[in-house]
């Protein structure tokens, strides 16, 4: 339960045998929340990785004029290299993060994607997706053949989404899902160069990534990553890009050593979580004494080894960087696994306090530890911490599950049922959400805040069925 990669987004499954594009469309207009069969969209929720990737994106979004566009970044647990924008969400695969040796490589990809958004490429599609369940299209893109219905909360938006997508469907299908034209690639490349220039960064990483794809295409039988399918990379494009990149005075400018270290620690984490115990050691075999290798070792020991040994390794990391919130988070995870929840509370409390970006994930972990401690005072604190986390991260459906648990153990049953209803609601399981909201409502006083919120869920209008 303390896995750092909780897979939380639930998808309503369909059995229709359609292409990814039309499947996503078909399902999003019929996303009536049938909770009967659900599949998972493997969304990664991790405070450290989210904070880092947002740090990569922030300056780029600022200079591209997109800071106010509400671009959210979602991490997908997929080993293939991919990054794309759907609606107002930028999706990045963990595979892309793991394969990129420097921050600059990912920053370059983000700059290129920002170039597509700023250039208004596929604007109509984006506009429709912004109002719709973009996760649905993403699910189709990933070949999951399913739709999430839990991403958006505004009922009006959802109700309109169906119609908008139905109108745009033909065009989307014709152009290929999120595939770009060559002229758009050239524009996005030029924009990306401008953004990197304006932020004093090199385009070397972007060039390296694209060159790699060009080489990969030449190898017959090699695995084709989705990124090179949606972003055509003819030789002349890469040649032009190389020229532009090398003209910049920033071309040889490297990422700061601090940023590189954070990047390597992220890669160590992804390696251990997705490729097993010795993956980080393999990744950093040239520098086994470095902090990223040590971090990978500590995480591998936490996952596969004994907690006491893992704890010693976490303590060594904390000694090296006392103010790193994620080392304290790891320490909390280890203590939870060692069945020492009271000590885990201390570790997570430190992590929450040190977190500069105030992720919602860390207070929710703290809340879980407080639930495990289990006395009434701790349970009350758990409620407060989890609520704090949910205020920062409103769609964190697992947070509602823990909130319901804390209320349940406190004997506050209507609140527990309302929290359960909210969790189902944000996962898109509207029928279940309404059932629990109705049960909560029977116990709340008419007109009380909980009663009103339950009524909102009961009144929520699901997207109308078409076909
Ligand atoms: Zn592109």
């Amino acid at each position: 339960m303390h896995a750092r990669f909780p897979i939380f987004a639930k998808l309503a499954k369909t059995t229709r045998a359609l292409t990814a594009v039309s499947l996503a469309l078909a399902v999003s207009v019929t996303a009536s929340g049938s909770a009967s069969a659900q599949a998972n969209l493997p969304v990664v929720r991790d405070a450290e990785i989210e904070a880092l990737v947002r740090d990569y994106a922030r300056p780029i979004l600022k200079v591209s004029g997109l800071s106010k566009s509400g671009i959210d970044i979602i991490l997908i647990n997929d080993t293939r290299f991919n990054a794309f924008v759907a609606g107002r969400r930028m999706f990045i695969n963990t595979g892309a993060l793991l394969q990129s040796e420097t921050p600059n490589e990912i920053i370059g990809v983000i700059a290129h994607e920002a170039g597509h958004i700023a250039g208004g490429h596929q604007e109509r599609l984006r506009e429709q997706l912004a109002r719709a369940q973009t996760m649905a299209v993403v699910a189709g893109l990933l070949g999951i053949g399913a739709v999430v219905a839990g991403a958006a909360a505004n009922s009006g938006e959802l109700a309109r989404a169906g119609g908008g997508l139905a109108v745009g469907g033909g065009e989307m299908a014709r152009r290929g899902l999120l595939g770009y034209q060559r002229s758009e690639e050239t524009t996005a490349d030029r924009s990306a160069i401008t953004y990197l220039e304006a932020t004093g960064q090199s385009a070397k990483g972007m060039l390296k990534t694209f060159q790699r794809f060009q080489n990969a295409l030449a190898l017959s039988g090699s695995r084709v990553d989705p990124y090179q399918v949606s972003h055509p990379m003819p030789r002349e494009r890469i040649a032009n890009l190389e020229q532009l990149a090398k003209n910049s005075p920033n071309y040889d400018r490297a990422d700061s050593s601090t940023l590189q270290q954070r990047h390597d620690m992220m890669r160590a984490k992804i390696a251990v979580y997705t490729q097993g115990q010795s993956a980080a050691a393999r990744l950093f075999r040239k520098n086994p004494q470095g902090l990223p290798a040590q971090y990978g070792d500590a995480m591998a020991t936490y996952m596969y080894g004994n907690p006491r040994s893992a704890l010693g390794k976490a303590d060594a990391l904390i000694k090296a960087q006392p103010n790193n919130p994620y080392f304290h988070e790891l320490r909390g995870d280890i203590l939870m696994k060692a069945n020492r929840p009271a000590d885990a509370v201390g570790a997570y409390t430190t992590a929450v306090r040190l977190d500069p970006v105030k992720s919602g994930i860390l207070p929710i972990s703290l809340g879980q530890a407080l639930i495990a401690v289990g006395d009434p005072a701790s349970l009350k604190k758990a409620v407060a911490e989890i609520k704090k986390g949910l205020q920062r991260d409103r769609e964190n459906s697992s947070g509602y599950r823990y909130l319901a648990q804390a209320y349940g153990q406190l004997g506050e049953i209507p609140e527990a049922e309302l929290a359960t209803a909210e969790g189902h609601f944000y996962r898109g399981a509207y029928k279940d959400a309404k059932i629990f909201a109705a049960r909560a409502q029977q116990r709340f006083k008419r007109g009380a805040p909980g009663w009103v919120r339950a009524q909102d869920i009961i009144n929520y209008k699901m997207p109308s069925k078409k076909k």
Side-chain angles (χ1 to χ4, degrees):
M1 69 194 244
H2 270 264
R4 286 163 188 264
F5 282 9
I7 287 164
F8 77 98
K10 291 284 183 181
L11 305 165
K13 204 176 171 183
T14 178
T15 51
R16 287 194 219 184
L18 300 170
T19 65
V21 175
S22 53
L23 179 63
L25 291 171
V27 176
S28 60
V29 295
T30 58
S32 54
S34 86
S36 51
Q38 295 186 330
N40 289 316
L41 178 65
V43 172
V44 172
R45 297 306 314 274
D46 180 90
E48 179 178 25
I49 304 175
E50 289 177 2
L52 182 60
V53 173
R54 279 170 196 157
D55 282 351
Y56 290 167
R58 195 173 301 110
I60 297 292
L61 294 177
K62 195 174 172 200
V63 297
S64 60
L66 295 169
S67 289
K68 301 248 163 72
S69 304
I71 306 288
D72 197 10
I73 297 179
I74 313 256
L75 306 168
I76 302 287
N77 192 14
D78 188 309
T79 56
R80 296 171 299 175
F81 194 108
N82 204 9
F84 56 96
V85 178
R88 280 178 311 216
R89 292 164 189 238
M90 188 181 286
F91 292 81
I92 301 177
N93 283 3
T94 49
L97 301 175
L98 182 59
Q99 289 169 46
S100 297
E101 289 176 5
T102 64
N104 188 248
E105 288 168 45
I106 286 296
I107 293 166
V109 167
I110 291 172
H112 177 88
E113 294 304 308
H116 280 308
I117 310 175
H121 304 162
Q122 303 180 336
E123 194 140 37
R124 274 183 55 201
L125 167 61
R126 287 190 204 297
E127 206 173 287
Q128 287 150 7
L129 288 174
R131 291 179 311 188
Q133 295 291 20
T134 59
M135 303 293 250
V137 178
V138 173
L141 194 76
L142 293 172
I144 291 171
V147 56
V148 74
N154 184 315
S155 59
E157 270 180 21
L158 267 183
R160 285 194 300 274
L165 273 176
V167 172
E171 195 199 345
M172 263 174 78
R174 190 163 48 77
R175 294 184 64 171
L177 186 66
L178 307 175
Y180 292 102
Q181 320 230 336
R182 289 186 178 195
S183 58
E184 293 176 328
E185 288 305 337
T186 307
T187 310
D189 285 343
R190 285 177 181 275
S191 301
I193 296 273
T194 309
Y195 306 150
L196 292 167
E197 202 60 40
T199 53
Q201 301 182 93
S202 172
K204 197 186 262 181
M206 178 170 71
L207 184 64
K208 184 182 166 192
T209 296
F210 290 169
Q211 278 170 336
R212 198 172 42 165
F213 280 128
Q214 193 184 34
N215 295 338
L217 267 182
L219 296 168
S220 69
S222 77
R223 190 185 59 170
V224 176
D225 280 300
Y227 196 71
Q228 64 201 111
V229 177
S230 58
H231 300 257
M233 306 210 190
R235 192 165 296 282
E236 67 270 21
R237 176 188 163 200
I238 308 298
N240 286 340
L241 186 62
E242 185 169 6
Q243 186 97 53
L244 288 169
K246 287 187 171 166
N247 280 344
S248 163
N250 293 319
Y251 184 70
D252 284 318
R253 198 157 174 179
D255 300 298
S256 76
S257 59
T258 314
L259 205 62
Q260 182 66 51
Q261 189 180 60
R262 287 176 68 196
H263 186 80
D264 286 338
M265 293 208 277
M266 168 184 72
R267 292 176 75 211
K269 180 183 271 183
I270 294 171
V272 170
Y273 276 84
T274 64
Q275 299 182 340
Q277 189 170 4
S278 50
R282 278 198 305 274
L283 197 57
F284 298 107
R285 63 174 165 261
K286 283 181 189 160
N287 187 9
Q289 300 308 317
L291 213 54
Q294 281 186 51
Y295 190 35
D297 182 38
M299 283 182 289
T301 310
Y302 155 62
M303 288 179 73
Y304 303 98
N306 89 60
R308 185 176 301 175
S309 167
L311 198 60
K313 291 173 181 179
D315 287 339
L317 290 167
I318 289 169
K319 205 174 166 194
Q321 282 188 356
N323 293 325
N324 187 323
Y326 314 112
F327 291 168
H328 293 276
E329 181 192 20
L330 174 61
R331 190 162 183 275
D333 293 348
I334 294 165
L335 289 163
M336 283 297 281
K337 198 174 182 186
N339 203 18
R340 291 170 55 187
D343 294 327
V345 166
Y348 288 131
T349 301
T350 307
V352 170
R353 179 169 54 76
L354 292 173
D355 177 16
V357 296
K358 308 226 172 295
S359 165
I361 294 169
L362 298 176
I364 291 172
S365 292
L366 172 55
Q368 283 175 261
L370 286 160
I371 291 171
V373 174
D375 60 87
S378 298
L379 290 167
K380 278 187 186 142
K381 268 191 213 159
V383 166
E385 287 298 330
I386 296 167
K387 277 187 166 174
K388 185 163 92 184
L390 288 169
Q391 269 168 14
R392 298 170 179 180
D393 190 358
R394 197 158 146 255
E395 295 175 9
N396 191 326
S397 62
S398 60
Y400 292 101
R401 202 165 62 240
Y402 299 120
L403 183 61
Q405 196 185 340
Y407 275 133
Q409 285 178 228
L410 280 166
E412 297 180 26
I413 303 307
E415 284 82 1
E417 283 174 339
L418 183 60
T420 303
E422 300 258 27
H424 286 309
F425 183 80
Y426 286 111
R427 298 204 332 255
Y430 299 118
K431 272 185 190 156
D432 291 343
K434 284 167 192 279
I435 290 168
F436 278 93
R439 280 168 50 173
Q441 207 178 38
Q442 284 175 357
R443 296 168 185 258
F444 278 120
K445 216 175 130 187
R446 192 181 173 85
W451 187 94
V452 172
R453 177 58 191 144
Q455 190 64 38
D456 285 346
I457 294 174
I458 292 165
N459 286 345
Y460 173 75
K461 260 181 108 174
M462 293 178 279
S464 59
K465 276 200 176 183
K466 293 184 182 172
K467 285 191 215 174

